[in-house]
Amino acid sequence: MRDAFFEELFQIASIDRDVILLMADQGAQTMKKFEEKIPDQLINVGIAEQNMISVAAGLALCGKKVFVHAIANFTTLRCYEQIKVDLSIMNLPVTIAGVGAGFTYGSDGPTHHANQDIAAMRAIPGIRILNASDIVSLSAFPHLAYQIPKLTYIRFDKGNYIALYNKNHNFLDGMYEVVKGTDTVIISTGIMVHQAVKIANQFKSKVGVIDIYQLKPLNEEKLHKLLSSYKKIVVLEEHLSYGGLATIVADMLADYSLNKGFLRIGLPDENIFIYGDRNYMHKQIGISYPQIIKKIDKFLKDK
Amino acid sequence: MLKFPHLKDAARKIRLNCLKMQHIAYQGHLGGAFSVTEILVALYYCGIINISPKNFNDPKRDRIIFSKGHACLSLYAVLADKGFFPKAELERYGQNGTFLGGHPDHLIPGVEVSSGSLGHGLGIGAGMAIAAKLNDQKYLTYVILGDGECTEGSIWEAIAFAVVQNLNNLIAIVDNNQIAATSKTQKFVGSSLLENKWKSFGWDTLSIDGNNISEIINALKKSKMHSTSKKPLAIIANTIKGKGVFFMEGDPKWHHGVANDTQYEQARKELSK
């Protein structure tokens, strides 16, 4: 999946020589293309995320269009203050591309879990946050970041997921109703959207799915409109339930005084020391497919 | 070029302005502002570094990053004196609605980057130096650091990076006043020479008296010819914290100590010749 991102970025960078990719010792197949064809536009800063962000700021101040890349957890939290001071305060249109959303690196342990990055990055003034749910969205994001320059955090997974979108999909709206339902909607983001679709199908047409791929700024108007046909909301995410997508949606509901049934399904307020594959981890935490079905079934029957 | 006594006098006036600003606002870091004064005079008053209000939007101008942002009183005094903004603004420092904050931001005319959080400037400078090479531009990037600031790990990430990238167009000037906010810097970084540390990372270094204008001018002239080397250049400017006011010199108290009325009068007299 991540090569899709860098393939597109490579295309952009091949045409615009001001596009620079900085990375903190991260490999991706496509990096070789940069090395061979446009070596001046790729800089490996080594395992030094703080310096990577500061260097990005210096380049951006001189007119370069900078993308930086590292593991999501490290390119957000390790250099959080650099993002605040060098990028946000100076309002520089740098794009931070983090691989390893949620439990992408699950079995690598809690140091590698990106389970609070959305909460942290949401607190950066003026940032745009994009979360890819499939290869099509991820391929579109570098173009979006390039065409509408703004401080941006793009987070994504590593594995392969089936396409949810067709190639002509317009991602400017920030979200899409992937499945239309009549009663309850599952709002999700990233690869958990696939889980949401599978679950919604189980409930026939009763349950819909909205994929919010732009978490900030939230397209509140569109979400407001989409929610008008639903009575209940489930937010499903592989991120802390408090601070992530559920909080983003809850903020909007409060601001619009919308009174709807609300269920958070996400990660607990804990560091996770469970080692295994993603399904195993989800099961241990209580967010595996059958466990979610059970939770939603109960939620639908409530009241 | 201006004659030497003139520059000394410029430094004296800058310190006097810093003192007055602190007195009016009852806030501000004098110690570091005083140690870095001659460095700023050499950078902005001698015509060696290509920066002025007229060319500040010219991509070919040299860059000066004031990374030790807390010492901004002297930077403000210099920028106002050089015409980046009206001198009257100095009196509004510390007042409601002033654009001169306790640490410099990039919105102030003449300020390249926002600083105040230590340890950011050298990495940003490295980015600017790379951009110069990519764009085939000859400008040099100067980064003014404090020796206390060099405790930050991010500085050492940038130090290593600049060598690998052959940034011979990047010059670090370390205001080595050897005192941080509470004590001698030595207490938390050990006693080995700062110059040796930079050298061991692969930088070319110069060690000078950083309160001696002619030594700084010589070092800056050398920096302009530095493209013969492949390495970045660190100028270790050995200075005295609180320089210029006898009772402030070498005393950590004046990192952000505010002079009372008696101390103010005493300092004012000393700086008025």
Side-chain angles (χ1 to χ4, degrees):
Chain A
M1 188 152 152
R2 93 169 139 178
D3 275 303
F5 180 90
F6 290 109
E7 180 59 43
E8 295 303 318
L9 187 59
F10 173 74
Q11 300 301 336
I12 296 168
S14 301
I15 295 163
D16 185 345
R17 304 307 300 268
D18 278 333
V19 173
I20 309 285
L21 172 61
L22 303 179
M23 55 141 171
D25 203 27
Q26 279 296 299
Q29 286 300 317
T30 323
M31 297 287 183
K32 286 197 185 104
K33 278 194 183 174
F34 278 84
E35 278 167 16
E36 283 162 17
K37 300 270 172 60
I38 45 173
D40 284 355
Q41 289 165 261
L42 172 72
I43 301 170
N44 187 352
V45 303
I47 308 157
E49 295 82 4
Q50 297 176 64
N51 189 50
M52 177 168 72
I53 300 294
S54 293
V55 169
L59 285 163
L61 282 163
C62 297
K64 297 295 177 189
K65 299 154 191 174
V66 190
F67 288 72
V68 306
H69 174 55
I71 289 179
N73 190 54
F74 305 136
T75 194
T76 53
L77 300 184
R78 182 56 174 260
C79 47
Y80 194 60
E81 213 244 357
Q82 274 77 10
I83 295 170
K84 169 186 160 155
V85 175
D86 303 348
L87 302 184
S88 173
I89 288 181
M90 292 202 276
N91 192 25
L92 295 175
V94 169
T95 299
I96 300 162
V99 65
F103 288 152
T104 305
Y105 297 111
S107 65
D108 286 305
T111 55
H112 283 56
H113 299 162
N115 54 347
Q116 74 249 85
D117 57 320
I118 293 172
M121 296 307 273
R122 191 184 175 220
I124 295 290
I127 200 168
R128 168 173 58 192
I129 304 175
L130 299 166
N131 194 17
S133 54
D134 75 345
I135 200 164
V136 182
S137 56
L138 187 55
S139 302
F141 289 169
H143 294 281
L144 209 158
Y146 174 75
Q147 280 157 13
I148 311 168
K150 184 180 167 65
L151 174 56
T152 301
Y153 172 45
I154 301 175
R155 94 201 268 273
F156 49 88
D157 245 79
K158 215 179 167 184
N160 289 318
Y161 296 88
I162 57 149
L164 290 166
Y165 299 103
N166 67 50
K167 290 224 161 107
N168 303 318
H169 186 85
N170 177 8
F171 287 94
L172 287 173
D173 269 1
M175 66 188 69
Y176 187 70
E177 191 175 30
V178 184
V179 179
K180 280 197 196 319
T182 53
D183 181 80
T184 295
V185 64
I186 305 173
I187 300 177
S188 192
T189 187
I191 60 107
M192 293 303 275
V193 174
H194 296 270
Q195 188 83 296
V197 170
K198 217 168 118 192
I199 291 159
N201 290 338
Q202 191 77 12
F203 288 95
K204 303 281 170 355
S205 54
K206 220 176 167 190
V207 175
V209 174
I210 298 172
D211 174 12
I212 299 192
Y213 35 77
Q214 182 168 305
L215 296 161
K216 187 187 174 184
L218 180 69
N219 186 344
E220 295 184 346
E221 268 177 41
K222 177 152 187 197
L223 185 58
H224 190 202
K225 219 184 219 172
L226 290 174
L227 290 181
S228 62
S229 50
Y230 294 106
K231 291 188 213 68
K232 291 181 175 181
I233 298 165
V234 177
V235 180
L236 175 64
E237 62 190 315
E238 200 186 46
H239 182 281
L240 294 183
S241 266
Y242 290 84
L245 179 61
T247 299
I248 291 170
V249 174
D251 280 356
M252 178 266 172
L253 295 175
D255 288 342
Y256 282 73
S257 302
L258 294 182
N259 190 8
K260 291 180 190 284
F262 191 72
L263 175 66
R264 299 171 197 254
I265 303 176
L267 303 183
D269 185 22
E270 286 167 22
N271 291 304
I272 307 296
F273 297 90
I274 298 161
Y275 303 97
D277 64 32
R278 219 156 177 171
N279 286 335
Y280 175 80
M281 292 182 73
H282 285 178
K283 200 175 164 192
Q284 297 300 309
I285 293 163
I287 58 167
S288 67
Y289 174 68
Q291 288 162 315
I292 297 171
I293 296 263
K294 233 184 226 174
K295 283 182 188 179
I296 295 180
D297 201 35
K298 185 174 175 293
F299 179 61
L300 291 181
K301 284 173 187 151
D302 281 350
K303 204 160 67 173
Chain B
M1 202 208 295
L2 291 166
K3 283 227 171 92
F4 205 67
H6 205 111
L7 296 177
K8 266 189 167 170
D9 201 48
R12 182 186 62 76
K13 281 181 184 157
I14 288 159
R15 288 196 173 95
L16 190 59
N17 270 331
C18 293
L19 182 76
K20 285 180 179 170
M21 286 161 80
Q22 196 210 45
H23 189 63
I24 297 170
Y26 222 70
Q27 66 183 49
H29 298 72
L30 279 186
F34 283 1
S35 60
V36 80
T37 300
E38 279 82 8
I39 294 170
L40 290 174
V41 168
L43 284 167
Y44 284 93
Y45 287 71
C46 300
I48 304 170
I49 312 305
N50 176 30
I51 289 184
S52 71
K54 273 184 195 154
N55 79 352
F56 200 66
N57 291 318
D58 182 351
K60 293 190 293 261
R61 73 188 181 283
D62 289 326
R63 309 294 201 276
I64 297 175
I65 297 175
F66 196 71
S67 193
K68 49 170 290 178
H70 58 280
C72 59
L73 283 179
S74 48
L75 178 69
Y76 293 165
V78 166
L79 292 177
D81 196 36
K82 298 310 285 182
F84 282 91
F85 52 81
K87 282 182 190 169
E89 293 296 335
L90 296 181
E91 287 166 29
R92 299 184 62 228
Y93 166 76
Q95 312 300 313
N96 290 335
T98 178
F99 66 73
L100 300 174
H103 295 91
D105 67 47
H106 65 292
L107 303 174
I108 299 169
V111 175
E112 289 283 357
V113 309
S114 291
S115 63
S117 171
L118 297 173
H120 293 241
L122 194 61
I124 297 175
M128 290 177 167
I130 292 172
K133 287 186 182 280
L134 289 173
N135 294 339
D136 210 12
Q137 288 166 331
K138 301 284 176 232
Y139 67 81
L140 299 178
T141 301
Y142 294 83
V143 183
I144 303 170
L145 304 162
D147 67 307
E149 177 177 16
C150 291
T151 317
E152 292 280 4
S154 52
I155 290 287
W156 298 93
E157 291 183 4
I159 289 175
F161 177 76
V163 171
V164 175
Q165 296 294 324
N166 301 318
L167 300 182
N168 58 358
N169 54 352
L170 177 67
I171 297 100
I173 303 175
V174 185
D175 176 10
N176 188 27
N177 61 35
Q178 299 186 44
I179 293 172
T182 56
S183 71
K184 293 247 178 203
T185 317
Q186 216 182 73
K187 275 198 177 171
F188 32 87
V189 294
S191 55
S192 58
L193 278 181
L194 194 58
E195 186 187 5
N196 292 345
K197 292 180 186 171
W198 285 76
K199 211 178 260 177
S200 72
F201 271 66
W203 284 58
D204 288 331
T205 61
L206 288 170
S207 184
I208 60 166
D209 176 348
N211 292 126
N212 180 318
I213 292 178
S214 74
E215 286 198 26
I216 308 167
I217 289 173
N218 283 338
L220 293 183
K221 281 181 180 164
K222 281 181 191 162
S223 76
K224 282 279 170 176
M225 320 292 280
H226 193 67
S227 56
T228 48
S229 170
K230 273 195 168 177
K231 298 172 178 178
L233 173 67
I235 300 171
I236 309 296
N238 299 298
T239 59
I240 292 169
K241 195 148 180 167
K243 173 79 180 176
V245 174
F246 182 70
F247 67 87
M248 292 184 183
E249 289 186 357
D251 185 351
K253 182 183 153 190
W254 294 102
H255 175 75
H256 52 55
V258 176
N260 63 28
D261 287 352
T262 318
Q263 289 164 329
Y264 170 73
E265 265 316 308
Q266 201 181 330
R268 195 186 59 79
K269 269 183 201 155
E270 202 176 330
L271 290 172
S272 305
K273 276 192 270 184

